Amino acid sequence: MTTIDNDSAGKTAMALLTLQGVDKIYRQGELEVRALQEIDLTVQEGEFAALVGPSGSGKTTLLNIIGGLDAPSHGSIQLNGTSITTLKEAELSDFRLFQLGFVFQAYNLVPVLSALENVELVMVLQGRDVRERRERAEHYLELVGLEKVMQRRPAALSGGQQQRVAVARALAAGPRLVLADEPTANLDSENATALLDIMHRLSHEEKTTFIFSTHDRRVMERAERIITLRDGKIVSDKHIGQESHEQMA
Amino acid sequence: MKHSDQLHADASRLPMLLFIAWRNIWRSPVRSILTIGALAGGLVMVILYAAMMEGMIRQMVHQATAISIGHLQIHRQAYVDDQDLYATLPWSYLDTIAGVFPEISLAPRLYASGLASTAETSTGVLIKAVDPAREPQVTRMLQQVRQGKMDLGPADDSQDGLPRNNLVIGAQLAKNMKLQPGSELVLVTQAADGSIGNALYRVAAILKPLEPNFDRMGVLMSIAAYQQLMYLTDGFHELVIRLDDATDLGVMQAELDAELKKLVSEQPLDELGGTPVVRNWRQLTPMVADMLEISKTITFFVGFIVIALASMGMLNTMLMAVHERTHEFGILLAIGMKRRWLLLMVLLESFFLGLVSALTGVLLGIGVIGLFGERGIDFSGMLPDGYDWGGIVFEPYMKLHLEPLDLLLACLLMLVITLLASLLPAWRTVRLRPAEVMR
Ligand SMILES: Nc1ncnc2c1ncn2[C@@H]1O[C@H](COP(=O)(O)OP(=O)(O)O)[C@@H](O)[C@H]1O
Ligand SMILES: [Mg+2]
């Protein structure tokens, strides 16, 4: 099994994530769609960053490329010291399993498994032993406030609860980076802000980097950094509470 | 090294894959139950069919060997070729064989053709003569009485004071000639010395259908009565042999053959009748033997087709299941599930469907066969009396016989076919691209 060393040397010196000159071109017959153009991006360890922009601006494409679910047309991606564009499919799969956590818009969970089993699942895939994964799963479900409904299957949970299970699952795997594509899109604003608060708190407590996309203003407000995309380009990149530096394309 | 690590990793994930696959079956319970129902129903058909075939074969073999043919028969070549009346084996042969092989049972028979007449009608008949003492040791022919009482001895004199012998006739002949037990019959033949032999008989009994020829034209008498009618006393046409254990039929056949060769050199036969030949029941009833050979193959193909048809439902179910779970599979791939595990999960789900269907089908199959019980399926209302196939008469009850091996084979067939049917749905997971699925 190819495991990737979590404590690779030089992590303080190097950024967690570096994208350089990333392009993504989709070809539909004669038509070319430039979903991403010349993306340069650096994310440091522990950041809590929002990717914002109108629908079709390339948020999902960018997150998929960072997560190794899709390959860029040009450019390089360094994640925790690994150039992920050079990895083969099986290596990428292991890379995602051990280094990344994912939270998607909806239906994140396996319907036939309980919340607890869903959180355990990713640790089963990692090959952790029974006791460790049970303890960690319970721990993270408690952290997201679901200790009372751990035995329920997704259908018996609210949308907000389901997304919290997904967050617990992502974190229980012990990733360096959690990618969340519109995790609040299917939630009402109360549940959306609650989920963001949980994610924000855990990002600090667990020292885990988060990049999430959204077009919800109240969700954006929770971010420490807002990266704005338009037509596949980064049109602004602001660190909140610090002096903002905009890069106009 | 890397390879064995991978195997170990796969094995450690197996319980989870099994667990999810099993639960996935019950996600659409109605759909799964219908799928299982179709597969189990198909399997019940196959099991029932196999049991019918097996029962039929056993009945035919039984009919062939136990009731009239025996395990082995000895004739002279000229008798085999054209039922030459003079192609007899001398009685001394019977005594010698009986002395050399005390463990086997022997019954001599003689044949002739003739004309049977009553006051109203006459018809051609086949005369079959048996030894009333020896025949029951070899076949159950004399027990196959439908009407009347088995008696091949002398009967009371006729009204005109003529001596009569008892005989027994085939069911169809009795019907055609309107004969009853107690009826009188005249037989006219050409005797061995060329004279016209004729005698008066009393019908003692009517036999159940044994074989179509006998049923239509058969007249059974004792060898003593035959000798009086035919003036043929120096030997017999047919020697029927029954073994206690028919498994070493071939060995016995060879030994008999060798013994006969020896006998021929010691007690030479006349030129015309040819050498003695030993044939086993398969050679004597080639249709049955052929059918035995092909029936297993036919059963297998019928089973294959029925199960393959039933597994179309399963193919559809799994295609739907995989299609419905496209998004879910995408998520699993994204979070680090290996493609081969996903594939295995789909195959396991199909395997479980097949397994549950197989178990259900086997239990139902055993139950259905149990319902028909010892007697089998009653066809007496549907088949004509004495219905035959390849010269072997069917009893109107189709006995069902379940071979445990057939059951096992049917289950294996079902699992293999359902697994084949799940390859296509499983293959769909291999082409999934999580980035596209997640949008
Ligand atoms: N598979 C694809 N084929 C062609 N075009 C695509 C494909 N996926 C996304 N796109 C295009 O890429 C652009 C960015 O899409 P996306 O990343 O989904 O944006 P967002 O998530 O911000 O709504 C859109 O114009 C979209 O139509
Ligand atoms: Mg999107």
Side-chain angles (χ1 to χ4, degrees), chain A residues 53-84:
Chain A
S55 184
S57 58
K59 303 183 294 295
T60 298
T61 305
L62 183 55
L63 286 172
N64 281 346
I65 285 176
I66 295 171
L69 297 175
D70 210 349
S73 305
H74 300 286
S76 69
I77 300 121
Q78 296 277 326
L79 216 172
N80 198 25
T82 305
S83 171
I84 64 166

PDB file of all heavy atoms in Angstrom, chain A residues 53-84:
ATOM      1  N   GLY A  53     -17.863  33.200  -6.308  1.00  0.00           N
ATOM      2  CA  GLY A  53     -18.020  33.599  -7.701  1.00  0.00           C
ATOM      3  C   GLY A  53     -19.340  33.089  -8.203  1.00  0.00           C
ATOM      4  O   GLY A  53     -19.907  32.163  -7.637  1.00  0.00           O
ATOM      5  N   PRO A  54     -19.824  33.710  -9.275  1.00  0.00           N
ATOM      6  CA  PRO A  54     -21.125  33.295  -9.799  1.00  0.00           C
ATOM      7  C   PRO A  54     -21.074  31.877 -10.358  1.00  0.00           C
ATOM      8  O   PRO A  54     -20.002  31.319 -10.547  1.00  0.00           O
ATOM      9  CB  PRO A  54     -21.393  34.305 -10.909  1.00  0.00           C
ATOM     10  CG  PRO A  54     -20.063  34.822 -11.297  1.00  0.00           C
ATOM     11  CD  PRO A  54     -19.215  34.787 -10.069  1.00  0.00           C
ATOM     12  N   SER A  55     -22.251  31.362 -10.588  1.00  0.00           N
ATOM     13  CA  SER A  55     -22.356  30.025 -11.154  1.00  0.00           C
ATOM     14  C   SER A  55     -21.640  29.972 -12.492  1.00  0.00           C
ATOM     15  O   SER A  55     -21.754  30.889 -13.300  1.00  0.00           O
ATOM     16  CB  SER A  55     -23.837  29.685 -11.308  1.00  0.00           C
ATOM     17  OG  SER A  55     -23.960  28.373 -11.764  1.00  0.00           O
ATOM     18  N   GLY A  56     -20.861  28.953 -12.719  1.00  0.00           N
ATOM     19  CA  GLY A  56     -20.136  28.808 -13.980  1.00  0.00           C
ATOM     20  C   GLY A  56     -18.791  29.496 -13.979  1.00  0.00           C
ATOM     21  O   GLY A  56     -18.086  29.486 -14.981  1.00  0.00           O
ATOM     22  N   SER A  57     -18.396  30.068 -12.842  1.00  0.00           N
ATOM     23  CA  SER A  57     -17.126  30.796 -12.806  1.00  0.00           C
ATOM     24  C   SER A  57     -15.928  29.859 -12.642  1.00  0.00           C
ATOM     25  O   SER A  57     -14.788  30.297 -12.766  1.00  0.00           O
ATOM     26  CB  SER A  57     -17.160  31.829 -11.670  1.00  0.00           C
ATOM     27  OG  SER A  57     -17.399  31.192 -10.440  1.00  0.00           O
ATOM     28  N   GLY A  58     -16.164  28.588 -12.337  1.00  0.00           N
ATOM     29  CA  GLY A  58     -15.058  27.628 -12.287  1.00  0.00           C
ATOM     30  C   GLY A  58     -14.717  27.110 -10.901  1.00  0.00           C
ATOM     31  O   GLY A  58     -13.686  26.451 -10.715  1.00  0.00           O
ATOM     32  N   LYS A  59     -15.586  27.372  -9.907  1.00  0.00           N
ATOM     33  CA  LYS A  59     -15.297  26.958  -8.528  1.00  0.00           C
ATOM     34  C   LYS A  59     -15.157  25.435  -8.419  1.00  0.00           C
ATOM     35  O   LYS A  59     -14.186  24.916  -7.864  1.00  0.00           O
ATOM     36  CB  LYS A  59     -16.420  27.435  -7.580  1.00  0.00           C
ATOM     37  CG  LYS A  59     -16.662  28.930  -7.587  1.00  0.00           C
ATOM     38  CD  LYS A  59     -17.719  29.357  -6.589  1.00  0.00           C
ATOM     39  CE  LYS A  59     -19.122  28.841  -6.895  1.00  0.00           C
ATOM     40  NZ  LYS A  59     -19.699  29.383  -8.152  1.00  0.00           N
ATOM     41  N   THR A  60     -16.163  24.716  -8.964  1.00  0.00           N
ATOM     42  CA  THR A  60     -16.138  23.255  -8.884  1.00  0.00           C
ATOM     43  C   THR A  60     -14.937  22.695  -9.632  1.00  0.00           C
ATOM     44  O   THR A  60     -14.231  21.810  -9.137  1.00  0.00           O
ATOM     45  CB  THR A  60     -17.448  22.678  -9.447  1.00  0.00           C
ATOM     46  OG1 THR A  60     -18.530  23.150  -8.658  1.00  0.00           O
ATOM     47  CG2 THR A  60     -17.440  21.159  -9.434  1.00  0.00           C
ATOM     48  N   THR A  61     -14.695  23.257 -10.813  1.00  0.00           N
ATOM     49  CA  THR A  61     -13.558  22.791 -11.603  1.00  0.00           C
ATOM     50  C   THR A  61     -12.261  22.942 -10.820  1.00  0.00           C
ATOM     51  O   THR A  61     -11.433  22.016 -10.765  1.00  0.00           O
ATOM     52  CB  THR A  61     -13.483  23.586 -12.919  1.00  0.00           C
ATOM     53  OG1 THR A  61     -14.734  23.471 -13.595  1.00  0.00           O
ATOM     54  CG2 THR A  61     -12.375  23.065 -13.811  1.00  0.00           C
ATOM     55  N   LEU A  62     -12.089  24.089 -10.176  1.00  0.00           N
ATOM     56  CA  LEU A  62     -10.860  24.337  -9.427  1.00  0.00           C
ATOM     57  C   LEU A  62     -10.725  23.365  -8.251  1.00  0.00           C
ATOM     58  O   LEU A  62      -9.660  22.776  -8.029  1.00  0.00           O
ATOM     59  CB  LEU A  62     -10.837  25.798  -8.935  1.00  0.00           C
ATOM     60  CG  LEU A  62      -9.572  26.228  -8.190  1.00  0.00           C
ATOM     61  CD1 LEU A  62      -8.321  25.965  -9.037  1.00  0.00           C
ATOM     62  CD2 LEU A  62      -9.634  27.720  -7.815  1.00  0.00           C
ATOM     63  N   LEU A  63     -11.823  23.192  -7.518  1.00  0.00           N
ATOM     64  CA  LEU A  63     -11.764  22.269  -6.369  1.00  0.00           C
ATOM     65  C   LEU A  63     -11.483  20.840  -6.834  1.00  0.00           C
ATOM     66  O   LEU A  63     -10.714  20.112  -6.204  1.00  0.00           O
ATOM     67  CB  LEU A  63     -13.066  22.330  -5.567  1.00  0.00           C
ATOM     68  CG  LEU A  63     -13.242  23.596  -4.716  1.00  0.00           C
ATOM     69  CD1 LEU A  63     -14.645  23.654  -4.119  1.00  0.00           C
ATOM     70  CD2 LEU A  63     -12.197  23.654  -3.599  1.00  0.00           C
ATOM     71  N   ASN A  64     -12.108  20.433  -7.948  1.00  0.00           N
ATOM     72  CA  ASN A  64     -11.867  19.081  -8.474  1.00  0.00           C
ATOM     73  C   ASN A  64     -10.406  18.899  -8.859  1.00  0.00           C
ATOM     74  O   ASN A  64      -9.828  17.826  -8.657  1.00  0.00           O
ATOM     75  CB  ASN A  64     -12.757  18.811  -9.691  1.00  0.00           C
ATOM     76  CG  ASN A  64     -14.186  18.458  -9.286  1.00  0.00           C
ATOM     77  OD1 ASN A  64     -14.447  18.164  -8.121  1.00  0.00           O
ATOM     78  ND2 ASN A  64     -15.091  18.487 -10.238  1.00  0.00           N
ATOM     79  N   ILE A  65      -9.823  19.949  -9.430  1.00  0.00           N
ATOM     80  CA  ILE A  65      -8.420  19.834  -9.852  1.00  0.00           C
ATOM     81  C   ILE A  65      -7.508  19.773  -8.629  1.00  0.00           C
ATOM     82  O   ILE A  65      -6.586  18.956  -8.560  1.00  0.00           O
ATOM     83  CB  ILE A  65      -8.064  20.986 -10.812  1.00  0.00           C
ATOM     84  CG1 ILE A  65      -8.692  20.680 -12.184  1.00  0.00           C
ATOM     85  CG2 ILE A  65      -6.554  21.144 -10.928  1.00  0.00           C
ATOM     86  CD1 ILE A  65      -8.512  21.770 -13.199  1.00  0.00           C
ATOM     87  N   ILE A  66      -7.811  20.606  -7.634  1.00  0.00           N
ATOM     88  CA  ILE A  66      -7.005  20.554  -6.403  1.00  0.00           C
ATOM     89  C   ILE A  66      -7.132  19.178  -5.744  1.00  0.00           C
ATOM     90  O   ILE A  66      -6.165  18.612  -5.241  1.00  0.00           O
ATOM     91  CB  ILE A  66      -7.445  21.665  -5.409  1.00  0.00           C
ATOM     92  CG1 ILE A  66      -7.158  23.051  -6.003  1.00  0.00           C
ATOM     93  CG2 ILE A  66      -6.746  21.495  -4.067  1.00  0.00           C
ATOM     94  CD1 ILE A  66      -7.770  24.193  -5.190  1.00  0.00           C
ATOM     95  N   GLY A  67      -8.354  18.629  -5.804  1.00  0.00           N
ATOM     96  CA  GLY A  67      -8.602  17.342  -5.154  1.00  0.00           C
ATOM     97  C   GLY A  67      -8.173  16.142  -5.980  1.00  0.00           C
ATOM     98  O   GLY A  67      -8.395  15.005  -5.572  1.00  0.00           O
ATOM     99  N   GLY A  68      -7.579  16.388  -7.146  1.00  0.00           N
ATOM    100  CA  GLY A  68      -7.113  15.266  -7.953  1.00  0.00           C
ATOM    101  C   GLY A  68      -8.242  14.462  -8.566  1.00  0.00           C
ATOM    102  O   GLY A  68      -8.054  13.320  -8.960  1.00  0.00           O
ATOM    103  N   LEU A  69      -9.440  15.067  -8.620  1.00  0.00           N
ATOM    104  CA  LEU A  69     -10.561  14.368  -9.247  1.00  0.00           C
ATOM    105  C   LEU A  69     -10.578  14.645 -10.745  1.00  0.00           C
ATOM    106  O   LEU A  69     -11.256  13.972 -11.501  1.00  0.00           O
ATOM    107  CB  LEU A  69     -11.884  14.823  -8.630  1.00  0.00           C
ATOM    108  CG  LEU A  69     -12.050  14.512  -7.141  1.00  0.00           C
ATOM    109  CD1 LEU A  69     -13.337  15.121  -6.608  1.00  0.00           C
ATOM    110  CD2 LEU A  69     -12.026  13.017  -6.901  1.00  0.00           C
ATOM    111  N   ASP A  70      -9.862  15.681 -11.135  1.00  0.00           N
ATOM    112  CA  ASP A  70      -9.826  16.080 -12.532  1.00  0.00           C
ATOM    113  C   ASP A  70      -8.405  16.582 -12.786  1.00  0.00           C
ATOM    114  O   ASP A  70      -7.739  17.038 -11.861  1.00  0.00           O
ATOM    115  CB  ASP A  70     -10.851  17.207 -12.758  1.00  0.00           C
ATOM    116  CG  ASP A  70     -11.401  17.191 -14.177  1.00  0.00           C
ATOM    117  OD1 ASP A  70     -10.839  16.460 -15.017  1.00  0.00           O
ATOM    118  OD2 ASP A  70     -12.390  17.904 -14.423  1.00  0.00           O
ATOM    119  N   ALA A  71      -7.976  16.448 -14.019  1.00  0.00           N
ATOM    120  CA  ALA A  71      -6.608  16.868 -14.338  1.00  0.00           C
ATOM    121  C   ALA A  71      -6.639  18.218 -15.037  1.00  0.00           C
ATOM    122  O   ALA A  71      -7.527  18.481 -15.846  1.00  0.00           O
ATOM    123  CB  ALA A  71      -5.946  15.824 -15.226  1.00  0.00           C
ATOM    124  N   PRO A  72      -5.687  19.093 -14.732  1.00  0.00           N
ATOM    125  CA  PRO A  72      -5.636  20.387 -15.431  1.00  0.00           C
ATOM    126  C   PRO A  72      -5.134  20.175 -16.859  1.00  0.00           C
ATOM    127  O   PRO A  72      -4.488  19.183 -17.151  1.00  0.00           O
ATOM    128  CB  PRO A  72      -4.619  21.183 -14.615  1.00  0.00           C
ATOM    129  CG  PRO A  72      -3.731  20.148 -14.004  1.00  0.00           C
ATOM    130  CD  PRO A  72      -4.594  18.943 -13.765  1.00  0.00           C
ATOM    131  N   SER A  73      -5.460  21.132 -17.726  1.00  0.00           N
ATOM    132  CA  SER A  73      -4.952  21.059 -19.099  1.00  0.00           C
ATOM    133  C   SER A  73      -3.499  21.525 -19.139  1.00  0.00           C
ATOM    134  O   SER A  73      -2.692  21.004 -19.903  1.00  0.00           O
ATOM    135  CB  SER A  73      -5.800  21.927 -20.020  1.00  0.00           C
ATOM    136  OG  SER A  73      -7.150  21.551 -19.927  1.00  0.00           O
ATOM    137  N   HIS A  74      -3.199  22.534 -18.318  1.00  0.00           N
ATOM    138  CA  HIS A  74      -1.815  23.016 -18.186  1.00  0.00           C
ATOM    139  C   HIS A  74      -1.594  23.356 -16.727  1.00  0.00           C
ATOM    140  O   HIS A  74      -2.539  23.562 -15.980  1.00  0.00           O
ATOM    141  CB  HIS A  74      -1.580  24.305 -18.996  1.00  0.00           C
ATOM    142  CG  HIS A  74      -1.835  24.147 -20.455  1.00  0.00           C
ATOM    143  ND1 HIS A  74      -0.983  23.471 -21.293  1.00  0.00           N
ATOM    144  CD2 HIS A  74      -2.866  24.577 -21.225  1.00  0.00           C
ATOM    145  CE1 HIS A  74      -1.471  23.486 -22.523  1.00  0.00           C
ATOM    146  NE2 HIS A  74      -2.631  24.140 -22.508  1.00  0.00           N
ATOM    147  N   GLY A  75      -0.322  23.499 -16.364  1.00  0.00           N
ATOM    148  CA  GLY A  75       0.013  23.999 -15.044  1.00  0.00           C
ATOM    149  C   GLY A  75       0.348  22.898 -14.063  1.00  0.00           C
ATOM    150  O   GLY A  75       0.231  21.709 -14.376  1.00  0.00           O
ATOM    151  N   SER A  76       0.820  23.332 -12.889  1.00  0.00           N
ATOM    152  CA  SER A  76       1.240  22.355 -11.893  1.00  0.00           C
ATOM    153  C   SER A  76       0.549  22.604 -10.570  1.00  0.00           C
ATOM    154  O   SER A  76       0.152  23.737 -10.246  1.00  0.00           O
ATOM    155  CB  SER A  76       2.761  22.418 -11.703  1.00  0.00           C
ATOM    156  OG  SER A  76       3.089  23.640 -11.075  1.00  0.00           O
ATOM    157  N   ILE A  77       0.340  21.528  -9.827  1.00  0.00           N
ATOM    158  CA  ILE A  77      -0.275  21.616  -8.500  1.00  0.00           C
ATOM    159  C   ILE A  77       0.617  20.882  -7.516  1.00  0.00           C
ATOM    160  O   ILE A  77       0.884  19.695  -7.683  1.00  0.00           O
ATOM    161  CB  ILE A  77      -1.681  20.987  -8.483  1.00  0.00           C
ATOM    162  CG1 ILE A  77      -2.603  21.702  -9.479  1.00  0.00           C
ATOM    163  CG2 ILE A  77      -2.302  21.045  -7.092  1.00  0.00           C
ATOM    164  CD1 ILE A  77      -3.157  20.793 -10.511  1.00  0.00           C
ATOM    165  N   GLN A  78       1.103  21.621  -6.529  1.00  0.00           N
ATOM    166  CA  GLN A  78       1.883  21.004  -5.451  1.00  0.00           C
ATOM    167  C   GLN A  78       1.002  20.970  -4.217  1.00  0.00           C
ATOM    168  O   GLN A  78       0.513  21.996  -3.769  1.00  0.00           O
ATOM    169  CB  GLN A  78       3.120  21.862  -5.130  1.00  0.00           C
ATOM    170  CG  GLN A  78       4.124  21.979  -6.255  1.00  0.00           C
ATOM    171  CD  GLN A  78       5.059  20.782  -6.302  1.00  0.00           C
ATOM    172  OE1 GLN A  78       5.401  20.219  -5.265  1.00  0.00           O
ATOM    173  NE2 GLN A  78       5.451  20.371  -7.498  1.00  0.00           N
ATOM    174  N   LEU A  79       0.791  19.785  -3.683  1.00  0.00           N
ATOM    175  CA  LEU A  79      -0.017  19.684  -2.470  1.00  0.00           C
ATOM    176  C   LEU A  79       0.796  18.936  -1.433  1.00  0.00           C
ATOM    177  O   LEU A  79       1.173  17.781  -1.662  1.00  0.00           O
ATOM    178  CB  LEU A  79      -1.319  18.935  -2.778  1.00  0.00           C
ATOM    179  CG  LEU A  79      -2.578  19.398  -2.045  1.00  0.00           C
ATOM    180  CD1 LEU A  79      -3.798  18.691  -2.604  1.00  0.00           C
ATOM    181  CD2 LEU A  79      -2.501  19.253  -0.559  1.00  0.00           C
ATOM    182  N   ASN A  80       1.117  19.600  -0.342  1.00  0.00           N
ATOM    183  CA  ASN A  80       1.890  18.984   0.728  1.00  0.00           C
ATOM    184  C   ASN A  80       3.171  18.349   0.175  1.00  0.00           C
ATOM    185  O   ASN A  80       3.557  17.250   0.547  1.00  0.00           O
ATOM    186  CB  ASN A  80       1.031  17.933   1.433  1.00  0.00           C
ATOM    187  CG  ASN A  80       1.592  17.573   2.812  1.00  0.00           C
ATOM    188  OD1 ASN A  80       2.304  18.382   3.412  1.00  0.00           O
ATOM    189  ND2 ASN A  80       1.295  16.386   3.279  1.00  0.00           N
ATOM    190  N   GLY A  81       3.792  19.051  -0.779  1.00  0.00           N
ATOM    191  CA  GLY A  81       5.066  18.581  -1.300  1.00  0.00           C
ATOM    192  C   GLY A  81       4.971  17.564  -2.422  1.00  0.00           C
ATOM    193  O   GLY A  81       5.979  17.095  -2.928  1.00  0.00           O
ATOM    194  N   THR A  82       3.726  17.218  -2.800  1.00  0.00           N
ATOM    195  CA  THR A  82       3.583  16.246  -3.883  1.00  0.00           C
ATOM    196  C   THR A  82       3.027  16.942  -5.109  1.00  0.00           C
ATOM    197  O   THR A  82       2.070  17.720  -5.016  1.00  0.00           O
ATOM    198  CB  THR A  82       2.602  15.136  -3.466  1.00  0.00           C
ATOM    199  OG1 THR A  82       3.057  14.567  -2.251  1.00  0.00           O
ATOM    200  CG2 THR A  82       2.493  14.061  -4.542  1.00  0.00           C
ATOM    201  N   SER A  83       3.628  16.664  -6.256  1.00  0.00           N
ATOM    202  CA  SER A  83       3.105  17.200  -7.498  1.00  0.00           C
ATOM    203  C   SER A  83       2.021  16.241  -7.973  1.00  0.00           C
ATOM    204  O   SER A  83       2.307  15.188  -8.525  1.00  0.00           O
ATOM    205  CB  SER A  83       4.231  17.293  -8.532  1.00  0.00           C
ATOM    206  OG  SER A  83       3.659  17.619  -9.781  1.00  0.00           O
ATOM    207  N   ILE A  84       0.762  16.619  -7.711  1.00  0.00           N
ATOM    208  CA  ILE A  84      -0.290  15.614  -7.903  1.00  0.00           C
ATOM    209  C   ILE A  84      -0.569  15.319  -9.369  1.00  0.00           C
ATOM    210  O   ILE A  84      -1.134  14.290  -9.700  1.00  0.00           O
ATOM    211  CB  ILE A  84      -1.601  15.976  -7.155  1.00  0.00           C
ATOM    212  CG1 ILE A  84      -2.221  17.250  -7.706  1.00  0.00           C
ATOM    213  CG2 ILE A  84      -1.374  16.064  -5.663  1.00  0.00           C
ATOM    214  CD1 ILE A  84      -3.649  17.417  -7.226  1.00  0.00           C
TER     215      ILE A  84
END
